[in-house]
């Protein structure tokens, strides 16, 4: 197959995969289109078998890691961790929306960092809403804080976001070195988000609250908390002795899974569902299709646009480019495209890309223009959601957060070294 | 061609027969107390609440941004929509209990400010609370929704301070006279 034909075919396949992932025709899982597309890319030679195998070998452990974290978060929810979080917030807020916002920031940041952004969006957000309702406070600042932090607070650990796991595999950084370099950008970005949200929602927060009834005290799931703590320690130890930290995540998930199975709180079927196998297949297939396109021209085309070096201006430009790409379609394909181009420039460049792809999606309420436009088309008949407010918030928060986070990353790289 | 009808405001002979109070988290007790004070004993009272659609919308959007996850049943926006309806009902029940008078509670869906204006169509009095900057007298004491409602209300409006009003000296001094 000629290079031009391979490039055209890869581009068509990528558009098809991403288009179907956004549109989800007939509600089919995204993998239903993505996996055959990857098979076509391999069968037609658009990607060589060697490259496909190399991509699968690189993505395999990432996907396993991701599955373990998804299961861990789901089992923590079933152990009552998120309900306990709600009880704690309601008690500690003492009827003040300002204090509730502070607690939402702490919990959403920690949960996103440790149990990934999926956990914050799917499991924590409903709890935060329920807590704000119990306090009689306006829910908007707290729910918006969850959605923003699921992106912004996913900078800290490789497990916080799939984009980070992909970058970890590509950059050659260790788990602990990644966390050490990202802790300052993480804190700085969260700090900026707090200042922006607190000012932006000043009216809603000042409206006060009228707590209803007594606040219950749900039992603290000590076993789940201890397991998560040991898993975190396991990440560090595994990283220090040179074992893949995914094993620590597996161990943590396995401990909670066995306990839940023995107590008949879950079933093997539910565990497999929690691992989201179609999603894992989608990520693998997407990786192969993107690799085919990067091999045949996209790499050299975008290569000119990707700034070299790791000085402050280069880091800022990389982060901005990554945020822009993430906002066009989604941050997952954006990071898959940018990683092979930036990895040769060193860890600093890869981490700058992560700042862009992780913080950038806050600009639009659905994470990207493609998803946003599609939702506007299919939901035209539904009660109209005013996008203006979310977009205004994003337009203030994203540039400010990104700039401060890049400064913090540059400082970290200067002090610790890339 | 029909000419615009006479103003509806004031009801029969200017008597207040139909009162609408907008119930919002945080500031609603002041509205209910104002209704108790100002609505005639025989007036029909409607307490209306409109959940902000952007709250569930933000959760829908965040889930949509997770590419490839499938499983739309896990969309937290669905849970939030249900929770918003339930918490709105609870809020209205609490407001009705504080009012301690016969009343109708109504929850509407849609754009908050437009739904409240629509509910007050045909009413004689709409009661709402200021919900902006409450430390100063002035236009900023109205948030965007209440600004719209006050500007567009098709009936008389009673605008209350959720707590005691700021002192008149919180008004900024007048601009200096133009130079001769």
């Amino acid at each position: 197959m000629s290079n031009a034909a391979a490039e055209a075919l890869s581009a068509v396949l990528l558009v098809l995969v991403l288009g179907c992932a956004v549109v989800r025709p007939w509600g089919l899982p995204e993998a239903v289109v993505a996996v055959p597309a990857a098979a076509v890319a391999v069968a037609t030679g658009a990607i060589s078998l060697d490259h496909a195998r190399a991509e699968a070998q690189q993505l395999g452990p990432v996907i396993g890691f991701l599955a373990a974290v998804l299961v861990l978060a789901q089992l923590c929810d079933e152990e009552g961790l998120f309900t306990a979080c709600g009880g704690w917030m309601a008690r500690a807020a003492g009827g003040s929306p300002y204090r509730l916002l502070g607690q939402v920031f702490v919990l959403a940041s920690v949960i996103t960092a440790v149990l990934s952004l999926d956990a914050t969006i799917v499991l924590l957000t409903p709890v935060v809403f329920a807590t704000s309702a119990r306090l009689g406070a306006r829910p908007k600042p707290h729910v918006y804080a969850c959605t923003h932090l699921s992106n912004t607070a996913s900078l800290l650990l490789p497990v916080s976001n799939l984009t980070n796991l992909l970058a970890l595999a590509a950059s050659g950084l260790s788990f602990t070195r990644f966390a050490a370099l990202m802790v300052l950008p993480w804190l700085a970005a969260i700090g900026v988000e707090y200042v922006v949200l607190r000012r932006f929602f000043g009216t809603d927060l000042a409206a006060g609250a009228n707590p209803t009834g007594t606040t219950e005290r749900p039992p603290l799931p000590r076993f789940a908390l201890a397991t998560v703590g040991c898993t975190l320690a396991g990440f560090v130890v595994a990283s220090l002795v040179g074992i893949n930290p995914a094993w620590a995540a597996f161990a943590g998930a396995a401990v909670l899974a066995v306990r839940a199975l023995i107590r008949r709180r879950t079933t093997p079927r539910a565990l497999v569902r929690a691992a989201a196998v179609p999603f894992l297949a989608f990520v693998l297939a997407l990786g192969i299709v993107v690799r085919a396109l990067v091999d045949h021209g996209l790499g050299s085309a975008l290569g000119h646009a990707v700034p070299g070096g790791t000085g402050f201006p280069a880091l800022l430009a990389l982060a901005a480019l990554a945020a822009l790409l993430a906002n066009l379609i989604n941050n997952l394909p954006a990071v898959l495209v940018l990683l092979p181009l930036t990895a040769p420039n060193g860890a600093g460049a890869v981490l700058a890309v992560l700042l862009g792809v992780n913080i950038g999606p806050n600009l639009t309420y659905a994470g990207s223009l493609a998803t946003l436009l599609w939702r506007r088309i299919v939901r035209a008949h539904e009660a109209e959601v005013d996008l203006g407010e979310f977009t205004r918030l994003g337009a203030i928060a994203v540039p400010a957060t990104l700039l401060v986070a890049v400064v913090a990353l540059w400082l970290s790289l200067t002090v610790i070294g890339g | 061609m029909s000419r615009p009808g006479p103003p509806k405001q004031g009801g029969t002979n200017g008597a207040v027969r139909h009162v609408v109070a907008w119930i919002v988290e945080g500031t609603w007790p002041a509205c209910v107390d104002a209704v108790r004070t100002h609505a005639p004993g025989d007036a029909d009272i409607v307490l209306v609440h409109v959940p902000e659609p952007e709250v569930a919308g933000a959760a829908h959007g965040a889930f949509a941004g997770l590419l490839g996850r499938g499983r739309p049943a896990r969309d937290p926006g669905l849970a939030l929509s249900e929770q918003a309806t339930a918490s709105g009902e609870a809020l209205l029940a609490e407001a009705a209990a504080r009012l301690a008078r016969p009343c109708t509670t109504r929850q509407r869906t849609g754009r908050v400010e437009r739904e409240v204006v629509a509910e007050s169509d045909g009413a004689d009095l709409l009661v709402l609370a200021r919900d902006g900057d409450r430390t100063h007298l002035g236009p900023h004491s109205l948030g965007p929704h209440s600004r719209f409602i006050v500007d567009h209300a098709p009936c008389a409006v009673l605008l209350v301070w959720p707590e005691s009003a700021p002192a008149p000296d919180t008004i900024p001094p007048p601009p200096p006279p133009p130079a001769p």
Side-chain angles (χ1 to χ4, degrees):
Chain A
M1 187 179 233
S2 75
N3 195 46
E7 186 180 351
L9 177 65
S10 320
V12 168
L13 288 175
L14 182 61
V15 168
L16 191 69
V17 169
L18 292 175
C20 288
V22 169
V23 172
R24 299 195 74 234
W26 304 290
L28 288 172
E30 295 81 348
V32 169
V33 174
V35 172
V40 168
V42 174
T44 56
I47 180 171
S48 72
L49 206 55
D50 282 347
H51 278 191
R53 196 180 295 126
E55 190 69 23
Q57 272 169 356
Q58 194 178 19
L59 286 180
V62 167
I63 287 166
F65 205 159
L66 178 70
V69 174
L70 290 174
V71 171
L72 189 66
Q74 181 64 37
L75 289 169
C76 281
D77 182 39
E78 286 164 17
E79 289 271 337
L81 182 65
F82 293 89
T83 316
C85 288
W88 173 74
M89 285 190 284
R91 282 195 310 279
S96 158
Y98 294 104
R99 282 167 67 176
L100 178 62
L101 185 68
Q103 283 142 5
V104 170
F105 260 77
V106 170
L107 276 183
S109 300
V110 172
I111 285 172
T112 303
V114 176
L115 294 175
S116 92
L117 81 167
D118 289 51
T120 294
I121 293 173
V122 176
L123 305 173
L124 183 67
T125 308
V127 171
V128 163
F129 182 92
T131 308
S132 116
R134 250 158 73 189
L135 285 182
R138 300 193 181 171
K140 198 156 43 169
H142 313 292
V143 169
Y144 275 43
C146 280
T147 64
H148 263 232
L149 288 172
S150 70
N151 289 317
T152 304
S154 73
L155 297 172
L156 181 63
L157 300 178
V159 289
S160 314
N161 199 325
L162 174 57
T163 53
N164 300 0
L165 282 173
L166 293 167
L168 187 74
S171 70
L173 281 168
S174 73
F175 192 100
T176 43
R177 195 165 183 79
F178 182 104
L181 286 168
M182 285 301 240
V183 67
L184 198 60
W186 180 69
L187 288 171
I190 293 167
V192 174
E193 287 278 6
Y194 183 76
V195 172
V196 170
L197 262 84
R198 184 153 166 167
R199 285 190 64 87
F200 193 86
F201 290 113
T203 301
D204 291 299
L205 293 167
N210 315 93
T212 53
T214 54
T215 51
E216 309 143 36
R217 189 182 280 263
L220 198 65
R222 292 173 200 281
F223 190 85
L225 274 175
T227 308
V228 172
C230 290
T231 307
L232 278 176
F235 289 151
V236 177
V237 173
S239 177
L240 290 178
V241 299
I243 305 171
N244 189 334
W247 290 111
F250 272 121
V255 167
L256 282 186
V258 168
R259 178 178 150 99
L261 284 170
I262 290 172
R263 300 188 159 204
R264 296 183 184 278
R265 283 192 192 153
T266 192
T267 59
R269 198 186 153 90
L271 289 173
V272 173
R273 266 182 76 78
V277 177
F279 171 46
L280 307 178
F282 168 77
V283 173
L284 182 63
L286 178 65
I288 289 174
V289 174
V290 169
R291 177 69 188 266
L293 193 58
V294 169
D295 282 354
H296 292 289
L298 186 67
S300 51
L302 260 180
H304 303 298
V306 174
T310 50
F312 178 72
L315 293 179
L316 191 61
L318 267 177
L321 174 71
L324 185 73
L325 270 185
N327 267 297
L328 291 181
I329 311 230
N330 184 271
N331 63 0
L332 205 50
V335 83
L336 285 169
V337 166
L338 287 173
L339 279 177
L341 306 176
T342 48
N345 292 342
V350 171
L351 295 179
V353 166
L354 284 182
L355 296 185
V357 295
N358 290 353
I359 295 172
N362 278 338
L363 202 55
T364 56
Y365 102 115
S368 78
L369 282 176
T371 311
L372 180 71
L373 289 175
W374 177 247
R375 289 181 73 82
R376 295 313 276 178
I377 292 166
V378 293
R379 300 200 158 231
H381 60 284
E382 286 197 9
E384 206 179 322
V385 173
D386 181 12
L387 294 182
E389 188 174 49
F390 199 97
T391 311
R392 272 201 311 282
L393 177 62
I396 300 167
V398 169
T401 316
L402 206 54
L403 178 66
V404 173
V406 172
V407 171
L409 175 65
W410 177 75
L411 278 175
S412 289
L413 288 166
T414 310
V415 173
I416 303 175
Chain B
M1 282 218 0
S2 65
R3 296 172 54 172
K8 282 177 284 189
Q9 180 181 315
T12 316
N13 302 327
V16 174
R17 298 191 179 281
H18 183 183
V19 178
V20 173
W22 179 34
I23 301 299
V24 202
E25 290 89 344
T27 52
W28 65 267
C31 288
V32 171
D33 294 349
V35 172
R36 284 163 62 106
T37 309
H38 297 287
D42 59 348
D44 294 331
I45 298 168
V46 177
L47 305 179
V48 63
H49 174 73
V50 191
E52 293 212 67
E54 287 77 21
V55 174
H60 279 304
F63 187 74
L66 298 175
L67 195 73
R69 265 54 160 208
R71 295 168 72 188
R74 276 169 73 83
D75 182 349
L78 301 171
L80 255 60
S81 294
E82 285 174 20
Q83 285 177 314
T85 308
S87 82
E89 296 292 345
L91 192 67
L92 286 170
E94 228 182 310
R98 183 177 178 113
L99 182 65
R101 271 171 61 173
C103 66
T104 309
T105 58
R106 191 166 297 141
Q107 184 145 237
R108 299 180 66 119
T109 53
R111 293 178 80 111
V112 177
E113 68 280 19
R114 288 173 189 273
E115 292 300 320
V116 175
V117 169
E119 182 66 45
S120 47
D121 184 26
D124 303 307
L125 181 66
L126 169 67
V127 181
L128 74 160
R130 291 180 189 266
D131 63 354
D133 171 13
R134 306 204 299 267
T135 57
H136 293 79
L137 295 175
H140 292 300
S141 63
L142 287 178
H145 290 336
S146 37
R147 173 91 266 160
F148 183 96
I149 294 165
V150 167
D151 287 345
H152 297 82
C155 63
V157 173
L158 174 57
L159 186 57
V160 298
W161 286 91
E163 53 279 304
S164 57
D169 62 6
T170 58
I171 302 175

